[in-house]
Amino acid sequence: MAKEFSKPSPKLLEKTQHLMHEGFHTRAFPDTGHGLPEALGDARWTDELITATWYMAETGKCPDHLNYKTGRSGGGFDRLAFKSLPKDQHLAPDAEVDISLELNRREDGRNKRRIAVPWYGGGMSYGSVSINVMMSRALAAKKWDTLMSTGEGGYPEELYACKEHVITQVATGYFGVEEKSIQAAPIIEFKYAQGAKPGLGGHLLATKAGEEVAKMRGSVPFVSLFSPFPFHSTYSVEDHMKHLDWIKTINPTAMMSVKVSTPHDVDMVAVGSYYAGAHIIHLDGGFGGTGAAPEIAKKNIAMPIELAIPKVHKFMLKEGIRDKVTIIASGGIRTADDMAKAIALGADGCVLGTSDLVAMGCTRCANCEGGPSGRGCPWGLTTTDVELQEYVQQAWGAERLNMYYTALSSRIKEILRELGLSTIGQLRGRTDLLRYISGGEAE
Amino acid sequence: MLTTGANETSESVADAAVVNIPLPVVEQARLNRQRADTYHRYHIEATETEDRQKVPRRFNVKVGRFGLAKLLVKEFFKYFGHWDVVFSRPCTYGVFSGPVGGFKPRPDLCVGCLRCTVEHPDFVTVTHNPELAKLGDVYLTSKHIATIDEEAKKGTVPVRGQGYRGRFGGPGFDQMFTDMSEIVRPSRDGIHGRELIGTCVDLGSKPMYLSFAADGSLLNAPKMITIQVPFVFDEPSDVVGDGLVPRIYAKAAAEVDTLAFLPSDTVTRLGLAGPNVVPMIAAERIGGIDSFSNGTRMVEMTSWNAEAWATVADHPFLISVRLPFAGDWKTEMMQMIDAGVSIIHLVADHHGKADDGRFVMDLFQEAHFALVERGMRDEVTLIGSGGIAGADHLPKAIITGVDAVSLGHPLLLAMQAHLSGDLVTRGAAEVRLPESLDMEWGVQRIVNLSCSWRDQLLEILGAMGLREVRRLRGEIGRAMWCGDLEDEAFGEIEGYAGGVN
């Protein structure tokens, strides 16, 4: 059993939070006299991207002194840029731009739901993250009239306060799935696979499955929990329809989202999901993921999201069903520019996970599964340690996300105006507005 | 009464005889039952085995003493009486938990969360350790080396959070993604449960049909052996080939139930001959293979020589022939096949390159499809060697057409060898092993690496829904090539001129 720690005293909490918050500021702002932390970042999430996200989460603005658009991975989004159109083709800087997104494109009597921004929060389960992180995201989703997903770890009671903005995820382990949480949700998300560990199911390490987490999941405390792969009741599209019928019986108005990974036949999977009744096809690419995953799975199994989006988009166009389904992309979406590029490649909107955490202070040290301390994230994000989780308070986290979403929103609007587009829907599939940078990274 | 023989006793054998079931059948059933009762699922016993030589740490941590002292004094007065605050540390990993705290940090414990340097940018600095970056070379990177070290230490699958951190595609094996299925598994029990995925491979020739004599006896029994993992241990370089290392390889191969390829002189001198050791013999000395006994099943001829081969072609040992990817290797391979060679050990340099610079993924495919075209793929085993530096390279090499791969540098790295100098040419690297290297430790480190790599292979196979690794061989349809996918995704975008890799 993991060693027990106690909640921090009010003084310790105050001191630690102060130091953390000051630190995020100091490292992200140019006038503090301190540069970026030397060991921060990697090819995908560079030091500049991480600190730019901190800057945006504090100010609601994109920084002039940091590259907040691209990383240095040498491919995909980092090699794509938008074309520079002549100024006379731009919209006026104050022109109204609509970036809202309708999620239900089927006329099937289910809920219609238009979210105010073309993104929502991806599934991070209670257990993989703390209740404070979960609530921060839910509160931000409420403020921005968008959504966030529970992940596969149950629906904590506190979340009901934001239930119109919470997607209930049903995944292969059925952890925490109950009638009440299905009835409460506007959207039910079936997670068939996730990009970081496609085909491998989920795994919550024993150290993170504490008393509360275990209670929520109906399991024994401090015992590792495996979410198997795949759904043991699904062998075909017809079996998938049975799942949807089951949900329909419990919640007749809920929309259905199907979250899948990006294998070779992802286009066929998407079409099958549509005919089974899905409103949202959620493609989760291989490079993202917030939870612990085998290193071998992250790079090697399934394809990056940039390569999967056009494949699915074009196939659905050919099938004549593209306008009846919403394609949501996740797994490697880091920035507003990534989102706009994903939409230009053929998605309707995106799901954010890692970038939410980075906005709340994540340095991507990768010790989410517990690390050598066994306590999880030292920043209090991906942990249920009673001391560490206190360092992220809900009001602070929600405000960080609020500011971050403000910056994302303004940047997406700026991109649209520079492309002469007045709605986000007009950008979908417009690869003619993109250019590929062959000899180096995009700006 | 008809009995199946599944639970036969000597009495029921007699009963069975009454109903005219011939005794050999009943006896066979009894033996089958006996074998089933002793069945155990193949498993590699990994045991955490501590490092014997210090691996360069990932990070350096520097703390300015004056800044720290100033902070401590300030906090002492500000939080006087709140000792939990005064003594709190900005590290959950113990970097500042030594006897004098931050005045003597313990950077070996640092995992790079950077909380200390974010909270105290005035006097705490965390940097990547340049000593770690110096390890390896452009192909066998410090990341590969650190990962192998972790795998050999713990014997587990490396698991981390927060997604992928590297380049989009890349050269070599990085240009391939492997496929997965949303709903198909080898079984319904999950990779962490009771699911059984086979990793054994056969070495030798499988006849395409069986032939029987008039009396019913089998004329062409398959001449092959089965090993439990699709990787073998290739010879250590001469530098470390003198005693302990070959013995470690031989013992580890026996524990894992694979094969250790070792120079024949070494095998003789150290008395290592056995079922899991493959003596490597020069063609001109191949006539001496009868000197190997003690259960030897296979030997390797170190170069192709048709005359030498003819003298041993019918020998009861399996005989593999080593074939470097050099010159007109394909013509030579076909000559070997025509002469009846059933196991070919294809060898590239340690960067996986042939003498013309081509990479093993292309070369393995060329060899594989040449055999497919001849309709002889199952009659010849291909072992591929060169460029295998990480667990993901194993399934990727098999997808491109080899039955098994042989490991070189990773085995030395599992024993914490420090490799320097020329890491491309075979046998050229300078190798420094831990001074305290001993048999038990070395064997366990290699066993751990084998366990970790096999488990990672299971992850790949499980995600694809494949029940055994033999079905992965040459399954190019299970590969997704980054360049092809980029062409498909970005082909119509202005400025795109082919994949970046």
Side-chain angles (χ1 to χ4, degrees):
Chain A
M1 183 176 287
K3 185 185 169 191
E4 289 289 333
F5 289 84
S6 56
K7 280 192 173 189
S9 65
K11 284 274 181 204
L12 180 58
L13 189 61
E14 179 197 315
K15 174 196 153 182
T16 307
Q17 284 180 332
H18 172 74
L19 286 171
M20 284 182 177
H21 301 170
E22 274 296 300
F24 300 141
H25 173 88
T26 306
R27 290 303 199 172
F29 281 67
D31 55 355
T32 57
H34 297 285
L36 311 179
E38 290 179 53
L40 185 69
D42 52 66
R44 285 197 56 75
W45 272 92
T46 60
D47 50 359
E48 292 199 46
L49 270 189
I50 293 173
T51 47
T53 305
W54 294 351
Y55 183 96
M56 290 189 267
E58 189 173 330
T59 63
K61 293 174 184 164
C62 298
D64 294 329
H65 64 290
L66 296 165
N67 179 353
Y68 57 89
K69 299 175 184 173
T70 52
R72 287 191 292 269
S73 72
F77 292 136
D78 293 340
R79 288 276 174 123
L80 293 172
F82 286 102
K83 285 182 180 167
S84 302
L85 301 184
K87 289 255 178 187
D88 61 352
Q89 292 182 27
H90 293 195
L91 300 185
D94 57 350
E96 273 298 308
V97 174
D98 179 8
I99 59 168
S100 67
L101 179 65
E102 174 58 55
L103 295 175
N104 183 356
R105 290 153 197 252
R106 303 176 87 117
E107 298 301 329
D108 62 353
R110 303 278 183 114
N111 282 340
K112 284 279 180 185
R113 182 64 181 266
R114 180 172 284 277
I115 51 177
V117 287
W119 72 83
Y120 59 84
M124 282 188 256
S125 67
Y126 177 54
S128 73
V129 295
S130 70
I131 185 66
N132 288 344
V133 170
M134 228 177 174
M135 283 307 297
S136 299
R137 300 181 78 217
L139 292 167
K142 189 174 181 179
K143 187 170 179 78
W144 277 83
D145 190 17
T146 182
L147 300 149
M148 57 82 74
S149 167
T150 59
E152 189 193 17
Y155 200 116
E157 201 61 33
E158 282 183 65
L159 273 184
Y160 282 99
C162 304
K163 65 179 184 180
E164 287 305 315
H165 303 275
V166 176
I167 297 171
T168 296
Q169 187 180 90
V170 179
T172 51
Y174 297 98
F175 290 126
V177 175
E178 50 184 18
E179 211 167 282
K180 189 179 162 192
S181 59
I182 289 179
Q183 285 170 341
I187 299 175
I188 308 297
E189 176 178 278
F190 276 96
K191 187 188 81 180
Y192 275 81
Q194 59 193 107
K197 37 193 167 182
L200 303 177
H203 182 188
L204 185 72
L205 280 105
T207 49
K208 289 176 81 174
E211 300 279 352
E212 287 302 315
V213 174
K215 193 173 156 194
M216 185 63 62
R217 296 185 181 218
S219 66
V220 177
F222 300 107
V223 169
S224 286
L225 296 175
F226 292 100
S227 187
F229 182 86
F231 274 114
H232 286 195
S233 48
T234 305
Y235 290 81
S236 63
V237 169
E238 290 74 19
D239 287 338
H240 175 54
M241 284 183 79
K242 283 190 303 190
H243 275 163
L244 302 194
D245 286 345
W246 162 52
I247 297 294
K248 195 176 178 182
T249 309
I250 302 170
N251 184 346
T253 60
M255 264 188 280
M256 300 294 158
S257 168
V258 178
K259 180 177 178 179
V260 294
S261 185
T262 52
H264 199 266
D265 59 352
V266 60
D267 43 2
M268 296 297 290
V269 170
V271 170
S273 300
Y274 165 75
Y275 281 111
H279 301 83
I280 298 170
I281 310 292
H282 176 172
L283 307 172
D284 197 23
F287 287 174
T290 51
E295 287 284 90
I296 191 169
K298 292 178 186 174
K299 164 70 193 293
N300 301 302
I301 307 179
M303 67 177 87
I305 192 66
E306 295 95 316
L307 305 180
I309 295 167
K311 194 177 176 70
V312 173
H313 172 68
K314 288 176 195 166
F315 193 65
M316 294 194 120
L317 274 178
K318 215 183 289 176
E319 291 285 303
I321 55 175
R322 181 62 189 90
D323 287 328
K324 295 176 183 169
V325 69
T326 301
I327 296 177
I328 295 289
S330 71
I333 308 288
R334 303 156 296 179
T335 63
D337 285 65
D338 283 359
M339 278 198 268
K341 289 169 193 171
I343 292 168
L345 286 171
D348 291 292
C350 295
V351 151
L352 303 179
T354 299
S355 53
D356 277 3
L357 295 181
V358 173
M360 288 187 276
C362 169
T363 50
R364 298 190 76 248
C365 70
N367 294 291
C368 321
E369 88 291 359
S373 71
R375 299 174 67 190
C377 175
W379 300 98
L381 297 161
T382 56
T383 182
T384 52
D385 181 279
V386 289
E387 179 198 340
L388 297 172
Q389 68 176 353
E390 294 301 315
Y391 297 137
V392 179
Q393 291 292 304
Q394 294 179 15
W396 177 82
E399 185 54 20
R400 292 282 287 190
L401 292 175
N402 175 32
M403 284 291 125
Y404 179 53
Y405 289 178
T406 305
L408 292 180
S409 166
S410 66
R411 173 60 189 153
I412 289 179
K413 286 179 179 173
E414 182 183 40
I415 292 170
L416 289 177
R417 287 189 190 108
E418 287 177 1
L419 294 171
L421 304 174
S422 57
T423 70
I424 192 76
Q426 291 170 353
L427 180 61
R428 189 185 77 189
R430 293 291 303 275
T431 48
D432 60 307
L433 295 174
L434 291 169
R435 59 196 169 94
Y436 192 88
I437 315 296
S438 287
E441 315 290 354
E443 308 125 22
Chain B
M1 181 186 74
L2 182 66
T3 55
T4 63
N7 294 299
E8 291 298 334
T9 63
S10 54
E11 287 79 14
S12 58
V13 168
D15 290 342
V18 173
V19 291
N20 294 326
I21 294 177
L23 191 60
V25 174
V26 177
E27 178 61 10
Q28 189 58 51
R30 190 185 67 75
L31 290 173
N32 286 347
R33 167 50 51 190
Q34 197 174 29
R35 191 163 54 181
D37 287 346
T38 57
Y39 168 81
H40 70 281
R41 182 170 164 174
Y42 175 71
H43 170 69
I44 300 177
E45 195 65 45
T47 305
E48 184 151 344
T49 308
E50 286 300 322
D51 293 344
R52 286 273 171 96
Q53 145 163 311
K54 211 167 171 182
V55 183
R57 57 175 172 260
R58 292 171 62 202
F59 300 99
N60 287 331
V61 181
K62 278 189 185 161
V63 178
R65 293 180 174 209
F66 178 68
L68 176 60
K70 213 166 91 176
L71 176 84
L72 290 176
V73 171
K74 185 179 151 194
E75 291 199 339
F76 181 81
F77 289 107
K78 186 174 179 186
Y79 298 110
F80 187 81
H82 300 282
W83 304 118
D84 62 325
V85 186
V86 173
F87 292 110
S88 67
R89 303 274 186 274
C91 182
T92 57
Y93 303 101
V95 174
F96 308 117
S97 297
V100 288
F103 288 104
K104 195 173 182 189
R106 302 190 290 187
D108 290 351
L109 299 175
C110 179
V111 299
C113 78
L114 309 182
R115 198 177 129 184
C116 55
T117 185
V118 168
E119 290 186 4
H120 302 287
D122 294 335
F123 60 89
V124 183
T125 313
V126 180
T127 52
H128 290 291
N129 182 8
E131 292 305 310
L132 180 63
K134 281 182 197 165
L135 296 182
D137 66 3
V138 67
Y139 185 88
L140 181 71
T141 63
S142 58
K143 186 166 184 284
H144 286 125
I145 293 172
T147 303
I148 288 171
D149 191 72
E150 180 189 346
E151 292 164 336
K153 180 179 176 182
K154 297 179 179 170
T156 55
V157 176
V159 172
R160 305 254 191 289
Q162 288 300 332
Y164 174 61
R165 321 172 76 76
R167 304 282 294 174
F168 185 81
F173 286 108
D174 284 344
Q175 64 194 287
M176 182 199 282
F177 305 116
T178 62
D179 205 7
M180 59 82 67
S181 166
E182 303 289 347
I183 57 172
V184 179
R185 286 295 297 201
S187 78
R188 295 269 126 184
D189 295 322
I191 198 162
H192 302 292
R194 295 164 291 160
E195 184 172 78
L196 180 64
I197 299 176
T199 57
C200 59
V201 289
D202 308 312
L203 307 181
S205 180
K206 292 178 191 169
M208 300 312 289
Y209 52 87
L210 297 177
S211 303
F212 297 92
D215 64 355
S217 58
L218 189 60
L219 289 174
N220 61 340
K223 188 178 171 186
M224 63 181 194
I225 60 174
T226 300
I227 54 175
Q228 292 294 332
V229 286
F231 51 85
V232 297
F233 303 158
D234 207 0
E235 58 168 341
S237 68
D238 295 343
V239 189
V240 290
D242 62 342
L244 190 51
V245 172
R247 289 209 299 272
I248 288 172
Y249 278 31
K251 186 149 190 272
E255 288 203 12
V256 176
D257 195 3
T258 182
L259 301 170
F261 288 64
L262 297 168
S264 58
D265 289 346
T266 306
V267 174
T268 305
R269 182 163 46 83
L270 300 175
L272 294 177
N276 297 97
V277 170
V278 178
M280 301 165 65
I281 312 172
E284 58 272 19
R285 292 168 57 197
I286 197 73
I289 60 174
D290 283 327
S291 65
F292 296 103
S293 54
N294 194 29
T296 298
R297 297 180 290 177
M298 181 168 153
V299 298
E300 178 160 281
M301 199 160 87
T302 54
S303 61
W304 174 237
N305 180 312
E307 291 77 33
W309 170 260
T311 65
V312 291
D314 296 325
H315 196 278
F317 288 166
L318 282 170
I319 302 173
S320 63
V321 181
R322 208 170 176 92
L323 176 62
F325 280 120
D328 190 6
W329 62 269
K330 203 167 152 190
T331 302
E332 205 166 339
M333 183 179 86
M334 289 309 181
Q335 288 167 1
M336 290 158 67
I337 290 164
D338 290 339
V341 175
S342 65
I343 306 174
I344 300 173
H345 192 162
L346 302 162
V347 181
D349 67 27
H350 283 304
H351 282 192
K353 296 276 180 68
D355 64 348
D356 61 2
R358 293 172 66 207
F359 189 63
V360 281
M361 286 175 98
D362 296 332
L363 302 164
F364 290 163
Q365 284 185 70
E366 197 173 325
H368 168 75
F369 285 114
L371 293 176
V372 171
E373 276 169 30
R374 285 280 292 265
M376 295 185 67
R377 185 61 189 90
D378 282 327
E379 292 172 60
V380 180
T381 300
L382 295 179
I383 301 173
S385 182
I388 307 296
D392 60 306
H393 298 172
L394 173 62
K396 288 178 177 178
I398 293 171
I399 286 174
T400 54
V402 293
D403 296 88
V405 300
S406 69
L407 309 182
H409 282 163
L411 301 176
L412 294 170
L413 293 167
M415 295 187 293
Q416 294 206 287
H418 183 270
L419 305 180
S420 57
D422 177 0
L423 302 190
V424 184
T425 314
R426 289 184 163 263
E430 292 163 29
V431 181
R432 196 178 73 239
L433 285 156
E435 284 177 13
S436 57
L437 176 70
D438 64 47
M439 185 80 172
E440 190 186 353
W441 183 85
V443 168
Q444 192 58 53
R445 295 279 296 198
I446 290 179
V447 167
N448 284 355
L449 182 77
S450 302
C451 181
S452 174
W453 281 28
R454 178 177 181 267
D455 283 349
Q456 290 178 75
L457 174 64
L458 292 181
E459 303 270 16
I460 298 276
L461 291 169
M464 285 183 189
L466 278 185
R467 203 180 179 84
E468 59 171 339
V469 74
R470 285 183 285 213
R471 295 188 191 179
L472 188 64
R473 185 198 67 195
E475 279 284 310
I476 296 293
R478 300 283 184 167
M480 298 187 284
W481 303 95
C482 189
D484 292 349
L485 294 172
E486 285 179 305
D487 290 347
E488 193 185 331
F490 304 145
E492 63 196 31
I493 295 176
E494 186 183 301
Y496 180 76
V500 294
N501 308 303

